[in-house]
């Protein structure tokens, strides 16, 4: 799979990962069993971005209940709250957890990662310059 993020901005593709491989309905049902009340948003063509931060910045982020990780997806497949139109891109707020290889949590949303994606490190500036 080729990179769908600007290679000049973020360099190589990073580590290839595999999100949920079954149908979107099965993915959403599996996520709903784990997250009873959180809104779900299914995405494709995704990348998890590990923000390059100092130890001091990491400590502040962790103290706030987050991790220095973000999600960028080129394609929203389904958003329960209809905040994002199908086919549009999305960049998450800072993540709180990444579980089971396909569930990316923020304080407000659980992103269900479908199909292949990537994970890589990037500067905060590069992350916020995406779209």
């Amino acid at each position: 799979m080729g990179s769908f993020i600007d290679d000049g901005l973020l360099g190589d593709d990073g580590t290839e990962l595999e999100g949920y491989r079954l149908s979107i309905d099965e993915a959403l049902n599996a996520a709903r069993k784990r997250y009873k009340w959180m809104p779900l948003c299914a995405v494709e063509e995704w990348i998890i971005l590990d923000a390059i931060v100092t130890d001091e910045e990491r400590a502040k982020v962790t103290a706030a209940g987050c991790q220095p990780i973000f999600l960028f997806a080129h394609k929203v497949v389904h958003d329960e709250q209809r905040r994002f139109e199908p086919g549009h891109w999305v960049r998450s707020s800072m993540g709180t957890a990444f579980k089971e290889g396909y569930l990316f949590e923020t304080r407000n949303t659980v992103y269900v990662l479908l199909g292949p994606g990537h994970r890589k490190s990037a500067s905060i500036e590069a992350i916020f310059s995406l779209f």
Side-chain angles (χ1 to χ4, degrees):
M1 177 175 150
S3 173
F4 43 80
I5 301 293
D6 180 358
D7 285 335
L9 178 65
L10 297 176
D12 68 77
D13 285 344
T15 304
E16 289 190 25
L17 299 178
E18 194 64 43
Y20 205 88
R21 291 300 290 170
L22 301 176
S23 75
I24 182 174
D25 290 335
E26 289 172 300
L28 291 172
N29 286 337
R32 181 54 63 213
K33 287 177 185 170
R34 185 175 189 125
Y35 302 97
K36 303 291 186 214
W37 313 111
M38 293 280 286
L40 302 177
C41 181
V43 298
E44 293 178 335
E45 298 178 26
W46 51 270
I47 185 166
I48 294 172
L49 298 162
D50 293 297
I52 299 167
V53 295
T54 65
D55 289 343
E56 183 179 327
E57 290 168 332
R58 182 175 303 281
K60 288 179 183 177
V61 166
T62 303
C66 292
Q67 295 180 32
I69 56 176
F70 295 83
L71 172 72
F72 178 83
H74 261 288
K75 186 177 178 187
V76 172
V77 178
H78 174 76
D79 180 39
E80 285 185 338
Q81 292 194 328
R82 298 181 183 197
R83 297 161 295 179
F84 315 112
E85 292 293 320
H88 285 208
W89 63 272
V90 63
R91 183 187 64 214
S92 75
S93 57
M94 195 171 288
T96 55
F98 178 49
K99 296 182 178 171
E100 297 187 32
Y102 75 99
L103 298 169
F104 185 93
E105 300 174 31
T106 68
R107 288 186 174 169
N108 302 316
T109 304
V110 174
Y111 294 90
V112 180
L113 311 181
L114 304 173
H118 290 90
R119 184 170 190 165
K120 68 191 314 180
S121 297
S123 69
I124 292 286
E125 295 80 14
I127 292 168
F128 283 105
S129 72
L130 292 170
F131 294 81

